[in-house]
Amino acid sequence: MTEFTATPVQLDTEAELDAFIERHECSLVEFYAEGCPLCQAMGPVLGNVARSTAVAIGLVNPRDDLELVDRFEIQSVPTLVLFRAGEPIATRADGFLGGDEVVAFLEANAPVTVADGD
């Protein structure tokens, strides 16, 4: 059984990220940078998505961790990576997304999990 949280979880290290991904059947992780206005604007959106779906949401700032950036092919921020069973299954790197766009992304890639949160 996966632990459900109704708010995004800050992940400070690659080990925390890996544990978060493994702990949840389905999770969405935002890769962000401090000082990025688009990333900051995503915060409230992801909070709303966390409360309205059964998808666990994590936040990670890869900072200068080039291995983490390479591992998930992060080329811009914010980048959203959707995981199922510990594996990345979909990515969005389109800048700011509204709540409806994030939910549509989740529904397209993890519809059963999104429906569970309604």
Side-chain angles (χ1 to χ4, degrees):
M1 181 170 209
T2 60
E3 160 195 337
F4 176 73
T5 98
T7 59
V9 176
Q10 180 64 48
L11 307 166
D12 294 321
T13 66
E14 186 171 9
E16 287 179 10
L17 172 62
D18 290 338
F20 179 82
I21 293 166
E22 290 301 319
R23 192 168 53 245
H24 299 93
E25 174 61 25
C26 185
S27 58
L28 178 67
V29 175
E30 178 196 25
F31 290 82
Y32 73 93
E34 288 180 28
C36 165
L38 296 178
C39 301
Q40 291 171 346
M42 288 296 300
V45 170
L46 294 175
N48 289 336
V49 171
R51 286 185 292 280
S52 66
T53 69
V55 178
I57 297 180
L59 309 171
V60 65
N61 180 354
R63 292 181 186 85
D64 297 323
D65 189 342
L66 295 180
E67 287 183 30
L68 192 59
V69 169
D70 288 343
R71 177 178 166 194
F72 295 106
E73 299 177 2
I74 305 302
Q75 297 181 3
S76 64
V77 291
T79 292
L80 301 176
V81 180
L82 181 62
F83 295 87
R84 176 153 325 266
E87 296 297 321
I89 60 170
T91 301
R92 287 285 302 261
D94 304 325
F96 177 82
L97 298 175
D100 291 342
E101 292 173 291
V102 175
V103 170
F105 171 66
L106 296 173
E107 286 175 339
N109 295 286
V112 173
T113 303
V114 172
D116 289 346
D118 293 338

